[in-house]
Amino acid sequence: MRSSLAPGIWLLRYFSRDSWYRGLILLLTFLIYTCYHLSRKPISVVKSQLHRNCTGLENPNNNSNSTTWCSWAPFDQENYKELLGGVDDAFLIAYAVGMFISGIFGERLSIRYYLFAGMLLSGIFTALFGLGYYWNIHQLWYYVLVQLFNGLAQTTGWPSVVTCVGNWFGKGRRGFIMGIWNSHTSVGNILGSLIAGIWVDSAWGLSFIVPGIIIAVTGVISFFFLVENPEDVDCAPPQHHNAPVEDLATSVDSHCVERDCGTESAGCSKESNEKPGAISFLGALKIPGVVEFSLCLLFAKLVSYTFLFWLPLYIVNVAHFGPKEAGDLSTLFDVGGIIGGILAGIISDYTNGRATTCCVMLIVAAPMLFLYNSVGQNGIGSSVVMLIICGALVNGPYALITTAVSADLGTHKSLRGNAKALSTVAAIIDGTGSIGAALGPLLAGLISPTGWNNVFYMLISADILACLFLSRLVYKEIQAWRRSENRNRGYKEI
């Protein structure tokens, strides 16, 4: 009796151990990237404090002619929006350029060591920005240089955590799991806004120093507890291609598998036993769907990051809230992002249509952005509702592409199980998106002096362009659905 039950008990314990490790990895990577975004957010909250309208405040220097005496030089100039936009772009351009390189390093280095170094450096540079307050630094080059190095350090995060999660989770419910997991972006933005808001009116330097300490400490924790691969702790690896319906990339270009393997099954079997090497940059670009989703993310992230860096200042200028209140209200956009990311994951899993899900949300987002700018500031109630809706529609496609889509393409069948490609694919997609992330705040800084309406017209145009780049993949998905429906109809007739 005892010997017959032993295998069942062993399997139960084995399954539970796998589940425990997967839960740990999901939680730890969630915390890691929450800290990355937490340390990026303070600049958007502090902007309104760096340049203030000092009219009505008591001037200790008795200079009644100055309306910006309480601002922080060099951002007390009339072109302060362009200067703040330049600080943003120092970070975002460095992030975009570094992301393409980061994926290559991520494939070849230990994720644990790579994340530890990146988080420690991110913490140092984030804190250095805040120390400019205590060191009384008023040179623009200092803040630009700190943001530049911080942008490079932050590129270590995304390819590493996506690769780690992709190593542990299969494709079956990837959209749903990663939709929940990707809420770390919005949670990080919310926490970053709330933490920065505590000191923004009194000592804005702490708005950067505290998040810098948090991400550095989390880096130390990840170094001791992160497990890169299931095999490292004798857990079962996930099955990436056990779905009953063909995935998007296969339906778009199934000949890639035939071209790589040829017609001789023996040759493929022989190669599959060899340890796969890191994929090249051009090799990753040839994976079907990578180029289209990358270009779509460029414009989707342009919209998302414009809100990330400029929304609190927009609320201050248009709704006339204080810096802390504007920062708190802006978190509702990220609350909507959490909802949108989860919904996008669930819908795309159910329909097996990643591109179509993104396209529909982008189409609906365009008129919602127009409505938010038109009526969103008429009252606190309308502002709350519109911010949540816009956040869901803007960040839903962004979340889906950077998580489930990146993991799908990084474990595409044509790679024959080469999981090392995942880091490069994630870096290419997010790196291309980061070009848009750099353009959005830059354009907002240049356009906003002509009126906030023009900024929103720019965002709506970007949404439409993002949708257009997915048109070919949407067409392929619709074709796949029709073929599947015809097959099911044929079975019923038989």
Side-chain angles (χ1 to χ4, degrees), residues 202-221:
S202 56
W204 61 259
L206 287 173
S207 297
F208 292 90
I209 294 172
V210 173
I213 293 172
I214 292 173
I215 188 173
V217 171
T218 307
V220 175
I221 294 172

Side-chain angles (χ1 to χ4, degrees), residues 1 110 131 159 182 201 208 276 303 322 370 409 433:
M1 175 83 60
S110 167
L131 287 172
N182 193 64
D201 290 322
F208 292 90
V303 179
F370 179 81
L409 298 176

